[in-house]
Amino acid sequence: MRPPSPPPARGLCLLAGALACALRPASCWASGQWEVCDYVQMIEAERKQCLEDAQLENDTAGCGKMWDNLTCWPATPRGQVVILACPFDLSPTQDRNVSRSCTDEGWTHLEPGPYPDACGFDDKESGLDEQQLKMFYSSVKTGYTIGYSLSLATLLVAMAILSLFRKLHCTRNYIHMHLFMSFILRAASVFIKDSILFDNRESDNCSEGFVGCKAAVVLFQYCVMANFFWLLVEGLYLHTLLAVSFFSERKYFWGYILIGWGLPSIFIMVWTITRIYVEDHGCWNIINSSLLWWILRAPILTSILVNFILFIRIIRILVQKLRPPDVGKSNSSPYSRLAKSTLLLIPLFGIHYTVFAFFPNNFKADVKMVFELVLGSFQGFVVAILYCFLNGEVQAELRRKWRRWNLKGILGRGSKCQYPSGGSSGVTCSTQVSMLTRGSPSARRSSGFQAEDSLV
């Protein structure tokens, strides 16, 4: 007897769920996936009930109760024919039947044929659609894996540069380093989550997942939210430099730490506790409850909205600064260069997420997946290039160190005391601080952007 066609492929469901979870932490295609889970759980309940009833029944001269992976066939005397309705998930018309006969050799094959043919289920068309979806999901996964790998490598180098060179240590670069770390953790959490979800072939999103799988998803949710909040911190810091004349950078910096790392931990803790008591299914990468959905989505949408408002306000401030008639007469004006470099930096603060942030989840889902997953995975790479490798201050420090290393190689270790290193070129953080203490408020507001002048 040929076995019936299996229910929807768990591999495809797992792949779709994981990609949708990566697309946005709280919008994991819950409705379609949960229909699959409902069906799988219903089939499992019917299977258990059928097997339990079969054990309790007395042996008959005919055919005993049988489970064929989709339908429970009742005990039947020899020579009888049993006619049952098609499973609801396979019969689009709801009026088709299947039958089996009890013979001396036991149950016969399913009549008038396998479930897909007997119940009018177009298995070829469904298989083709499933194959196309799987190819699309696999392509998206390959794309964002390349993007996160490139971003991770670039960000690690940028973190090493900003950490090792002491003259680059200042509040502005400290904030950049925290942003880099949030991108690094986000990329690492994506790889951890994918390795657990895709390597564990026996797991699905319907049964109870193991603790390690749930912990990986919780880590992923936290890293994604922390990344959004550090993008918000970058916007807050730039706005503060332009809008506030005098402020304590140390005091504000600790506030930024609480916003970037503290607030996401609170929301994730609330989400985790709520998830345990409300919806403890699978690996937690599929969200069905609207409460759980909004615990994650609301803070992220708020950060995106606030960053967009800050972007508009910063542009307005820059336009006002460019209004004096003498600005265009001198090429040395800091505000023209400031405007160009800021316009290159502000869109990197998550502004591109506003394209789909406030649309329904089913609006252009495939386009949104490519835009936010594949293109978004390269965001860390672009941020590292603009914030570090194209930073004039970083380039000046690297050139100074390179000249110093060359002198040491040529003249020996004693050259350090006999020859100057030529390290006065470039603008360093310490130089900026000394200038700020003696400069005007307008010079102080623009100092945070001087290192990015080389972008233009």
Side-chain angles (χ1 to χ4, degrees):
M1 179 176 65
R2 187 172 60 175
S5 298
R10 291 185 177 182
L12 178 60
C13 298
L14 182 62
L15 183 60
L19 291 181
C21 187
L23 178 61
R24 182 163 298 129
S27 61
C28 298
W29 287 0
S31 59
Q33 177 64 30
W34 214 254
E35 291 178 1
V36 175
C37 286
D38 289 341
Y39 179 70
V40 171
Q41 291 172 357
M42 183 196 68
I43 292 295
E44 181 63 19
E46 291 183 358
R47 185 190 69 85
K48 290 181 179 180
Q49 185 65 40
C50 183
L51 296 180
E52 290 176 1
D53 294 344
Q55 293 178 353
L56 296 176
E57 288 182 353
N58 297 326
D59 294 337
T60 61
C63 301
K65 181 169 288 190
M66 182 189 70
W67 174 256
D68 68 353
N69 294 331
L70 283 177
T71 305
C72 184
W73 296 87
T76 304
R78 187 180 295 107
Q80 297 290 326
V81 178
V82 180
I83 301 176
L84 297 177
C86 283
F88 74 95
D89 194 60
L90 296 180
S91 179
T93 59
Q94 299 292 326
D95 59 356
R96 299 197 180 192
N97 299 323
V98 290
S99 64
R100 291 183 188 271
S101 300
C102 180
T103 64
D104 294 337
E105 298 178 355
W107 290 104
T108 61
H109 291 281
L110 192 69
E111 297 294 340
Y115 278 110
D117 298 334
C119 297
F121 182 70
D122 193 349
D123 192 46
K124 294 182 179 180
E125 181 178 353
S126 174
L128 181 61
D129 293 340
E130 181 177 307
Q131 186 177 7
Q132 291 176 347
L133 284 175
K134 190 171 183 178
M135 290 179 60
F136 172 73
Y137 293 147
S138 299
S139 300
V140 171
K141 183 176 181 294
T142 302
Y144 77 68
T145 300
I146 295 174
Y148 280 123
S149 300
L150 182 61
S151 297
L152 184 61
T154 310
L155 289 164
L156 288 174
V157 176
M159 279 288 292
I161 292 174
L162 295 182
S163 301
L164 295 177
F165 297 106
R166 295 182 58 186
K167 290 192 175 182
L168 298 177
H169 292 181
C170 60
T171 301
R172 172 173 50 80
N173 283 341
Y174 288 152
I175 294 176
H176 292 347
M177 291 168 66
H178 281 279
L179 178 64
F180 292 172
M181 181 57 65
S182 71
F183 276 111
I184 291 173
L185 291 177
R186 179 171 182 171
S189 67
V190 168
F191 295 144
I192 294 173
K193 173 183 64 67
D194 285 355
S195 64
I196 293 178
L197 288 179
F198 293 112
D199 289 346
N200 186 14
R201 302 300 181 184
E202 299 299 326
S203 66
D204 57 61
N205 296 312
C206 305
S207 60
E208 184 177 355
F210 61 96
V211 176
C213 184
K214 297 175 181 178
V217 174
V218 171
L219 175 65
F220 168 75
Q221 304 283 19
Y222 173 77
C223 293
V224 170
M225 187 176 292
N227 183 234
F228 276 98
F229 273 80
W230 274 107
L231 292 172
L232 173 62
V233 167
E234 286 283 356
L236 289 172
Y237 181 71
L238 288 176
H239 182 266
T240 303
L241 284 177
L242 287 173
V244 181
S245 298
F246 300 97
F247 67 96
S248 173
E249 290 194 354
R250 180 179 296 273
K251 179 180 178 181
Y252 273 68
F253 179 72
W254 287 110
Y256 294 147
I257 294 291
L258 292 177
I259 294 175
W261 299 118
L263 287 182
S265 63
I266 295 175
F267 289 112
I268 295 302
M269 288 177 60
V270 172
W271 180 80
T272 303
I273 296 173
T274 307
R275 180 95 202 208
I276 292 174
Y277 291 99
V278 174
E279 193 176 297
D280 190 9
H281 302 295
C283 283
W284 292 4
N285 60 316
I286 299 297
I287 299 178
N288 185 48
S289 171
S290 59
L291 173 63
L292 291 169
W293 194 79
W294 279 107
I295 290 176
L296 294 178
R297 183 173 174 82
I300 291 177
L301 288 180
T302 302
S303 68
I304 293 174
L305 179 61
V306 173
N307 235 7
F308 183 75
I309 294 174
L310 292 175
F311 171 76
I312 300 300
R313 288 179 59 87
I314 290 174
I315 296 302
R316 187 172 65 87
I317 293 174
L318 292 176
V319 170
Q320 292 175 353
K321 296 296 182 181
L322 292 172
R323 282 180 180 176
D326 58 338
V327 171
K329 297 180 181 180
S330 175
N331 293 331
S332 62
S333 174
Y335 289 110
S336 60
R337 304 172 68 189
L338 177 63
K340 295 177 182 179
S341 59
T342 303
L343 288 175
L344 290 175
L345 293 174
I346 293 298
L348 297 177
F349 300 158
I351 302 302
H352 63 281
Y353 287 107
T354 59
V355 176
F356 291 103
F358 301 97
F359 285 97
N361 289 327
N362 57 356
F363 178 79
K364 301 292 184 181
D366 52 346
V367 178
K368 179 166 61 174
M369 182 173 290
V370 173
F371 183 82
E372 295 191 2
L373 270 185
V374 179
L375 297 182
S377 65
F378 289 90
Q379 186 183 8
F381 168 75
V382 177
V383 167
I385 295 297
L386 293 176
Y387 278 55
C388 182
F389 298 107
L390 293 183
N391 187 301
E393 177 187 5
V394 174
Q395 293 177 350
E397 183 67 12
L398 289 175
R399 285 193 296 266
R400 188 182 73 85
K401 289 292 184 181
W402 180 254
R403 287 195 295 268
R404 185 174 182 179
W405 291 333
N406 284 340
L407 286 174
K408 281 186 177 182
I410 297 174
L411 304 176
R413 294 182 179 273
S415 62
K416 180 178 180 181
C417 300
Q418 300 173 2
Y419 296 93
S421 62
S424 60
S425 62
V427 181
T428 64
C429 290
S430 58
T431 306
Q432 289 182 3
V433 173
S434 63
M435 292 172 60
L436 290 178
T437 57
R438 298 190 295 267
S440 63
S442 61
R444 186 183 188 284
R445 294 174 188 174
S446 62
S447 63
F449 304 92
Q450 290 175 355
E452 279 82 13
D453 286 345
S454 61
L455 296 178
V456 297

